[in-house]
Amino acid sequence: MRSNRTMWLSIFLLTAICLVSRKDIAAQATAASISIDMIVQYDVPMKTRDGVTLYADIYRPKSSDKFPVILMRTPYDKSVNWAVAPTSKIVSRGYVVIIQDVRGRYRSDGEWYPFRHEQADGFDAVEWAAALPYSDGKVGMMGASYVGATQMLTAIAQPPHLAAIAPNMTASNYHDGWTYQSGALEQWFDQNWTSQLAQNTLERFIHQNTNALVGAPTLPLTNYPVFNFGQLPADAQLTRTIAPYYFDWLAHPDYDNYWKQWSIEENFSKIAVPMLQVGGWYDIFNAGTLRNYMGAKKYGANEAARTQQHLLIEIGGHAGFGRRIGDVDFGPHALENVYTDVILDWYDFLFKGIKNEFASDKPVKLFTMGTNEYRQEDDWPPPQAHATKYFLHSNGHANSLRGDGSVSTSAPKSEPPDSYVYNPGNPAPTIGGPLCCDEQHMEPGPRDQRPVENRDDVVVYSIGPFAQDLEVTGPVTADLFVKSSAVDTDFTAKLLDVGPDGFAQDLTEGILRMRYRASQEHSELMNPGQTYEITVDLWATSNVFLRGHSLRLEISSSNFPRFDRNMNTGEEARFARDFVPATNVILHDTQHPSALILPVVSVK
């Protein structure tokens, strides 16, 4: 696609790169071939088992030898610069690189529908690549986000010649952790992704219906129809025409068979290859990255899958790359572990027997914020982390930063609850966090949360400043006792590191839609006024709260537009227009010991 808009995936990978023309790519490839003797083949066709033709560009060493293949299957155009740029480095290390447009995208034929064809097409692509005359029969895969999903779905299809994968920033479940989170719609991501995906679909539709001969007889000349499909449908009807999957997502808020048909979590036992999972603390899919590592290690189909799982967690993921993510400079070590270099070491270790860091018995590498450095671990979660309860306290006035909320390791006694009014017409706004994919309009990553914390519909609990460093590395949850005046509402939570200057850095966050408190497969409304014990999953982090810093927990009922607003009425979200305010209550006393559960590694 050529457009003066920033390409979605460029934002998705946070590299402000325009698509380059095939002529430009050819010039780049020619320059590369001079230095590394690289051969480039464009638009190489491959037939799928049902007869659809997919097209790939192939980059390979100029040699009569056979080499391992690294395959990338993408819906974002195989010729974009971010996909092409690493090829010279990879080829120079002795690999064939194949970049294929998935079904229904850019050069490839067929109908586009997210996830639907990736298992079968991925299987066919791997076996096709393995049989090429310059392939040695070993095929690995690479790529981020949906390009990571194409790897995971291919792996559970078990093509015989797939030898390993290296998914970067991708999910384990396309219901929870991609389209929804704990029952709430990932509205910003879902709508943004849909709009950007639909651009190529619309362009293909226009291309198929453009023929000047059809309009040539039209008089007067001012009535010439530039396209031949008549009037484009408007607004939501256009969405339904070119992005029907968006409506399918809305029609399936429960975790049902629509989602289970391509769930990775349901199929860990089918994964039979080593995997390198790469994620980021501020990545929108990081929970899935962690689950993929743990799930394949526990349930993998064979010894190779169970014992050769590796995990690398960086900082930003979809929220950004480099040493500065959001408003925070994470120092020079943040520039380490460039993805292309990491996967080359990964495949050198697996395919060529080179003893590098992947030969270590420590399969996990994490970036720890605060100290801002990488370190290796024996496993995830780190076995030395101890789940520690930090109980909520107040005199009933924890609303906003002006309130009296606190947390401590001492259990509560007799304390009044905290309450606030959540009004869907005035929701707490999203400020930073694990966002994707349009940083021009919604800035991702760690941002100062004080503007949100100054609202009375946000309750705030803090501890500190600390006299010594406190490290928290592992999964984070909030176990809360709550009630509401509504039949359905949301509870959100954020963990923050507050600096001596007051800067409130969000570390990780979560949400729970109350109708899904017991199960994501079946919804159940609340009884207004009844107390419920719930767990809000804040995913995970690795952070050292440095001496002089404070730890803070934020609780509210909205984080909009990252998540859709709960209208508090119990009506199905896709049809809801009307809303009612809800009075929501957080209890913290002897009978209702609400607590933040932190994986404390050490106090230094």
Side-chain angles (χ1 to χ4, degrees):
M1 180 190 310
R2 277 75 176 167
S3 171
N4 57 12
R5 289 189 60 182
T6 304
M7 270 300 296
W8 172 79
L9 190 65
S10 298
I11 295 172
F12 203 75
L13 297 174
L14 297 185
T15 48
I17 303 169
C18 297
L19 302 188
V20 295
S21 70
R22 186 162 300 280
K23 180 179 178 181
D24 294 334
I25 297 167
Q28 295 171 8
T30 300
S33 66
I34 293 172
S35 59
I36 65 167
D37 292 327
M38 181 169 69
I39 296 174
V40 183
Q41 297 170 270
Y42 296 117
D43 294 331
V44 181
M46 183 207 86
K47 285 284 187 182
T48 64
R49 65 190 67 182
D50 60 348
V52 173
T53 301
L54 309 183
Y55 291 92
D57 294 342
I58 300 177
Y59 305 80
R60 59 187 176 90
K62 188 177 183 180
S63 169
S64 60
D65 293 339
K66 296 179 182 291
F67 301 92
V69 174
I70 299 179
L71 170 67
M72 183 163 67
R73 304 190 64 253
T74 176
Y76 305 122
D77 190 347
K78 60 184 173 59
S79 66
V80 295
N81 192 41
W82 63 260
V84 174
T87 58
S88 60
K89 176 182 282 190
I90 300 172
V91 170
S92 70
R93 290 271 283 263
Y95 295 92
V96 175
V97 180
I98 300 177
I99 309 175
Q100 184 183 69
D101 287 334
V102 301
R103 182 182 296 233
R105 303 295 291 173
Y106 294 91
R107 293 287 294 164
S108 288
D109 297 339
E111 180 183 356
W112 161 250
Y113 192 101
F115 313 116
R116 177 169 287 168
H117 302 286
E118 306 307 351
Q119 291 184 50
D121 289 356
F123 183 108
D124 294 349
V126 166
E127 295 307 294
W128 166 76
L132 293 170
Y134 32 81
S135 168
D136 70 359
K138 294 178 183 176
V139 180
M141 300 181 75
M142 65 176 285
S145 200
Y146 190 90
V147 188
T150 65
Q151 297 179 64
M152 297 300 300
L153 290 163
T154 297
I156 66 177
Q158 296 186 331
H161 289 90
L162 183 66
I165 61 175
N168 183 10
M169 306 181 303
T170 200
S172 61
N173 185 312
Y174 306 118
H175 175 261
D176 184 56
W178 188 290
T179 309
Y180 292 85
Q181 183 174 324
S182 298
L185 183 75
E186 284 269 11
Q187 183 174 345
W188 174 251
F189 168 66
D190 294 340
Q191 293 181 342
N192 194 319
W193 192 44
T194 296
S195 293
Q196 300 299 338
L197 288 172
Q199 290 182 34
N200 176 244
T201 306
L202 181 59
E203 286 188 351
R204 291 162 68 97
F205 181 65
I206 292 171
H207 179 73
Q208 293 164 4
N209 292 276
T210 301
N211 182 352
L213 287 176
V214 174
T218 304
L219 293 174
L221 296 178
T222 53
N223 285 350
Y224 167 69
V226 67
F227 304 127
N228 310 129
F229 48 72
Q231 188 69 33
L232 269 177
D235 302 329
Q237 185 55 46
L238 177 59
T239 307
R240 191 177 297 277
T241 299
I242 65 174
Y245 42 86
Y246 172 74
F247 292 88
D248 292 341
W249 299 341
L250 295 178
H252 294 272
D254 299 350
Y255 181 51
D256 56 17
N257 288 334
Y258 172 83
W259 300 105
K260 291 178 182 179
Q261 65 182 315
W262 42 60
S263 170
I264 305 303
E265 292 177 359
E266 300 277 338
N267 292 284
F268 283 139
S269 62
K270 294 181 180 178
I271 292 175
V273 296
M275 298 196 302
L276 167 63
Q277 296 285 335
V278 182
W281 296 125
Y282 290 95
D283 184 61
I284 191 172
F285 304 136
N286 199 46
T289 297
L290 298 172
R291 290 177 196 157
N292 285 334
Y293 167 80
M294 293 184 292
K297 185 172 182 179
K298 184 174 182 179
Y299 300 110
N302 54 29
E303 189 72 8
R306 292 190 295 272
T307 62
Q308 295 190 61
Q309 295 299 316
H310 286 257
L311 176 67
L312 169 64
I313 303 296
E314 303 169 324
I315 311 165
H318 285 94
F321 299 101
R323 61 180 288 168
R324 186 173 186 85
I325 311 296
D327 291 334
V328 178
D329 186 335
F330 288 97
H333 292 296
L335 300 174
E336 300 169 359
N337 298 293
V338 176
Y339 178 67
T340 301
D341 295 336
V342 170
I343 64 158
L344 279 170
D345 287 346
W346 170 242
Y347 286 120
D348 280 352
F349 167 68
L350 289 174
F351 292 173
K352 300 182 180 182
I354 296 175
K355 299 299 182 182
N356 52 37
E357 68 172 299
F358 289 106
S360 165
D361 59 358
K362 290 184 178 291
V364 176
K365 179 183 281 189
L366 308 174
F367 187 91
T368 298
M369 297 177 285
T371 55
N372 292 340
E373 58 188 6
Y374 279 99
R375 70 163 190 263
Q376 291 188 297
E377 293 284 354
D378 294 322
D379 202 3
W380 177 268
Q384 69 270 29
H386 300 284
T388 305
K389 288 189 175 182
Y390 283 77
F391 296 97
L392 277 58
H393 300 277
S394 81
N395 291 317
H397 304 289
N399 307 72
S400 83
L401 283 176
R402 301 177 297 278
D404 59 6
S406 65
V407 295
S408 78
T409 54
S410 300
K413 296 181 180 179
S414 177
E415 296 181 7
D418 293 301
S419 66
Y420 57 90
V421 175
Y422 160 52
N423 179 3
N426 182 26
T430 298
I431 298 181
L435 299 177
C436 177
C437 305
D438 180 356
E439 66 176 343
Q440 293 180 350
H441 296 102
M442 289 288 293
E443 295 180 328
R447 307 280 173 177
D448 193 346
Q449 300 297 306
R450 283 177 291 183
V452 174
E453 294 170 347
N454 277 315
R455 295 171 59 106
D456 286 337
D457 58 354
V458 178
V459 288
V460 177
Y461 304 90
S462 303
I463 182 174
F466 293 115
Q468 52 192 337
D469 294 353
L470 172 71
E471 182 184 335
V472 171
T473 298
V476 179
T477 59
D479 291 352
L480 306 176
F481 292 85
V482 302
K483 59 184 178 180
S484 176
S485 62
V487 296
D488 188 31
T489 195
D490 293 345
F491 285 95
T492 64
K494 290 182 185 177
L495 174 66
L496 303 100
D497 183 335
V498 183
D501 60 355
F503 180 84
Q505 175 186 340
D506 50 313
L507 297 173
T508 190
E509 60 188 48
I511 191 170
L512 176 65
R513 182 143 295 176
M514 285 298 289
R515 67 170 66 191
Y516 292 105
R517 64 193 179 277
S519 169
Q520 292 196 45
E521 296 188 41
H522 307 287
S523 63
E524 180 183 357
L525 297 179
M526 298 185 296
N527 295 318
Q530 180 177 333
T531 298
Y532 296 92
E533 182 179 3
I534 63 170
T535 297
V536 181
D537 184 358
L538 278 72
W539 290 9
T541 194
S542 181
N543 183 73
V544 175
F545 294 86
L546 299 173
R547 178 183 175 183
H549 285 232
S550 299
L551 180 154
R552 182 174 294 162
L553 173 68
E554 245 184 55
I555 298 173
S556 189
S557 289
S558 52
N559 182 352
F560 179 78
R562 182 186 173 189
F563 301 109
D564 70 315
R565 295 166 289 174
N566 194 317
M567 299 302 187
N568 298 329
T569 62
E571 186 179 2
E572 193 173 344
R574 59 176 168 158
F575 298 129
R577 293 186 178 184
D578 300 325
F579 60 84
V580 296
T583 299
N584 292 340
V585 179
I586 311 295
L587 298 94
H588 44 84
D589 54 41
T590 304
Q591 290 75 36
H592 308 100
S594 294
L596 172 67
I597 315 299
L598 294 177
V600 176
V601 172
S602 63
V603 178
K604 301 176 182 178

